[in-house]
Amino acid sequence: MTSREEFPCPFERYETDILPEWIDINGHMNMAYYGVVFDRGNYAAGDALGLGADYVEGSSHGIFAAETHTLYFRELHLGDRLRVRTQIVSADTKRLHFAHEIYHIASGERAAAQEVMYLHVNLTSRRVTPFLDSVQPRIEAAREIHASLPIPDWCGRRLEAKR
């Protein structure tokens, strides 16, 4: 089982400083590196759920991103310190739906948000398959803990250009 201490509500265990190579010609963090920061926050959450490197190596199963949506709210610059906040929006036997947010630590402002849907995959067959019994109860317990959080208003949005 997973407790609130093992998988806090929300989950906030990844922090980083912006590196010089992440800065683009506009003088702010390039959008590709927001993805890197979100991904590292995701790895921290995955590790806490038992879906980390040991799981992948020991079971030949892992999670693949099937869909993402990223929103940018604030520029980030060299030397800024960031924290990723993760919420489990939903989960079932094969899917894990995360809402990640990057926060600028000094100001407390949200800099970006990313919604991502992960699928559980057998790495031998490369097919979507149910989570193994070794992790499913942990994921379900964490999902129940996170059910107390409101679903972010930006989840489920889609891009739309009015013509």
Side-chain angles (χ1 to χ4, degrees):
M1 288 304 243
T2 296
S3 70
R4 197 172 288 272
E5 292 78 35
E6 292 169 340
F7 202 87
C9 181
F11 185 89
E12 297 179 306
R13 290 203 182 141
Y14 179 73
E15 293 185 4
T16 190
D17 293 311
I18 294 179
L19 302 175
E21 58 268 25
W22 295 359
I23 303 302
D24 66 16
I25 61 172
N26 295 311
H28 59 203
M29 189 164 86
N30 181 275
M31 65 184 268
Y33 294 100
Y34 283 82
V36 168
V37 173
F38 280 126
D39 203 42
R40 290 179 180 172
N42 175 71
Y43 276 112
D47 287 347
L49 290 172
L51 297 168
D54 290 343
Y55 178 73
V56 172
E57 292 168 14
S59 72
S60 295
H61 287 76
I63 55 173
F64 288 10
E67 184 174 348
T68 66
H69 185 200
T70 304
L71 301 164
Y72 304 92
F73 302 109
R74 179 192 194 283
E75 286 185 294
L76 295 171
H77 300 95
L78 183 63
D80 287 348
R81 182 120 182 110
L82 313 175
R83 174 180 299 119
V84 176
R85 176 179 293 167
T86 297
Q87 174 182 345
I88 297 173
V89 176
S90 66
D92 62 23
T93 60
K94 297 179 183 178
R95 294 176 292 202
L96 187 54
H97 182 183
F98 277 154
H100 299 298
E101 295 173 300
I102 295 174
Y103 282 87
H104 181 264
I105 291 176
S107 71
E109 292 177 80
R110 181 178 59 180
Q114 182 184 71
E115 181 178 15
V116 59
M117 178 65 71
Y118 291 99
L119 301 176
H120 186 253
V121 175
N122 177 311
L123 298 176
T124 302
S125 69
R126 310 307 270 192
R127 309 286 290 172
V128 176
T129 187
F131 287 105
L132 301 181
D133 291 342
S134 61
V135 294
Q136 181 63 41
R138 188 177 198 126
I139 292 167
E140 179 58 23
R143 187 205 58 77
E144 287 177 13
I145 291 167
H146 281 230
S148 66
L149 296 171
I151 295 173
D153 61 0
W154 49 266
C155 278
R157 288 178 55 178
R158 65 180 192 175
L159 292 176
E160 184 176 6
K162 303 281 185 191
R163 292 187 183 230

